[in-house]
Amino acid sequence: MTPTLDEMVRHTFAPAQGRLTPQAPLGARTWFRVGGNAEWLYQPADAQDLATIMQRLPPELPVTTLGACSNVIIRDGGIDGLVIRLARGFAAIEVEQDALVVGSACLDATVAEQAAAAGLGGLEFLSGIPGSIGGAVRMNAGAYGCDIASVLDWAEIITRDGTLLRLDNAALRFGYRRSGLPEGATVTRARLRATPANPADITARIAEIRTSRESTQPVRARTGGSTFRNPDPAISSRKAWELVDAAGCRGLIVGGAQVSEKHCNFLLNLGDATAADLEGLGEEVRTRVAQHCGVSLQWEIKRLGKTKASGQ
């Protein structure tokens, strides 16, 4: 008799050290606080544990890796297959003379704070980026004039077949809000270059960035990162938020979701939004911007999973 997918998964995870949970709710783990369940959620103990499991996974099993979930909308129907969530076993920070080697689950802001405490400058921009290092590497996150590509020496990854690799900066082929990570790869840690500096000066710069962010972005709301990428300057000289504003979308509401009035490249969950509300609002904004400005905005927030079937 052919084993069921459920039986295959349980056999695959027999040697696992981490935690495997079927039908695990994901909404509460996201910054938007929306979304359905993971068919299977795995929280690996460490990189070796993850590599072992990836080597054993059936090739037909879909795999999705999540970090801090600051820049994702998980759709209401949840995510099929295996969802990998990196946590405690990927949160170590090692201080070197001119760098920090950081686990992919480390929050960007925590890395900036640790660098400041060690008297290492150049990573202050991370204090203005929501999310974790793994996601920052994957999307070449940036803010306040810097991005990951400008400070990263190497990143260690585990490929879909369980191979552990170290890729240098050039191999990652960074571009604006993107990297060339292999399909299905999971970042486990990275080395970020820094420069010795006065800790007080570094701390002051972090405070300046945080003040600026709190004054211009809805950081205390149920929101995510920037919704849309800034367009290529060859297409438009205006930033995404300016295009959204020009199209009259500031404050626009769909269901329980709203375009932030404080910064209109952010979407808000007003309290009872569904993932469908948020994604529908984003698509309505894209339509209005295209009609008004002739620019096709591209999503920066990732939308994952499946929509909820009608009547469920």
Side-chain angles (χ1 to χ4, degrees):
M1 182 182 294
T2 303
T4 65
L5 185 58
D6 182 276
E7 291 170 333
M8 292 173 63
V9 168
R10 292 190 183 278
H11 172 73
T12 296
F13 282 84
Q17 297 177 334
R19 181 180 179 185
L20 179 67
T21 308
Q23 291 301 318
L26 295 177
R29 300 173 186 268
T30 74
W31 287 34
F32 277 116
R33 300 295 190 271
V34 300
N37 295 348
E39 186 175 5
W40 293 94
L41 175 67
Y42 187 60
Q43 296 168 280
D46 53 30
Q48 187 55 60
D49 182 38
L50 176 58
T52 298
I53 294 305
M54 296 295 275
Q55 290 165 7
R56 294 171 58 88
L57 286 180
E60 66 271 24
L61 184 70
V63 177
T64 303
T65 301
L66 297 178
C69 296
S70 62
N71 72 323
V72 300
I73 295 172
I74 294 176
R75 295 185 174 114
D76 301 305
I79 301 179
D80 287 340
L82 180 69
V83 173
I84 296 169
R85 177 77 188 279
L86 304 183
R88 190 173 304 170
F90 299 82
I93 297 178
E94 303 170 26
V95 178
E96 299 184 350
Q97 185 175 359
D98 61 347
L100 266 64
V101 177
V102 299
S104 59
C106 294
L107 293 178
D108 300 329
T110 299
V111 174
E113 292 166 0
Q114 291 293 311
L120 291 172
L123 302 178
E124 296 90 335
F125 74 98
L126 290 170
S127 64
I129 302 175
S132 58
I133 291 297
V137 172
R138 176 168 291 281
M139 66 174 293
N140 188 22
Y144 300 94
C146 294
D147 59 17
I148 288 291
S150 66
V151 299
L152 184 136
D153 272 340
W154 50 255
E156 291 180 347
I157 69 169
I158 296 175
T159 62
R160 177 63 176 81
D161 65 3
T163 303
L164 287 85
L165 296 175
R166 178 178 289 186
L167 302 179
D168 64 16
N169 190 301
L172 285 163
R173 304 190 310 278
F174 286 117
Y176 175 68
R177 298 298 178 264
R178 62 176 175 80
S179 70
L181 279 170
E183 185 69 26
T186 298
V187 177
T188 58
R189 65 176 189 156
R191 186 179 194 270
L192 306 179
R193 294 188 307 275
T195 305
N198 185 326
D201 292 340
I202 302 170
T203 300
R205 175 57 179 155
I206 289 174
E208 180 183 322
I209 288 173
R210 284 179 171 164
T211 298
S212 172
R213 185 166 173 254
E214 291 200 8
S215 67
T216 60
Q217 299 177 13
V219 296
R220 303 192 184 283
R222 292 185 179 184
T223 186
S226 297
T227 305
F228 304 109
R229 300 176 184 180
N230 289 326
D232 187 311
I235 296 174
S236 175
S237 61
R238 290 187 287 182
K239 293 183 177 180
W241 76 264
E242 294 175 303
L243 295 168
V244 174
D245 205 16
C249 296
R250 186 183 293 268
L252 182 65
I253 293 176
V254 169
Q258 180 182 35
V259 175
S260 171
E261 296 188 16
K262 191 172 190 178
H263 190 312
C264 51
N265 199 22
F266 286 77
L267 303 183
L268 307 178
N269 176 357
L270 296 177
D272 60 353
T274 63
D277 290 342
L278 289 161
E279 189 168 9
L281 176 58
E283 288 299 327
E284 176 63 21
V285 169
R286 293 184 70 239
T287 297
R288 294 192 185 195
V289 168
Q291 291 174 344
H292 185 271
C293 308
V295 176
S296 178
L297 288 176
Q298 301 302 307
W299 283 89
E300 187 167 315
I301 284 178
K302 306 297 182 185
R303 290 99 61 229
L304 305 174
K306 59 187 181 181
T307 57
K308 196 170 185 178
S310 176
Q312 287 188 327

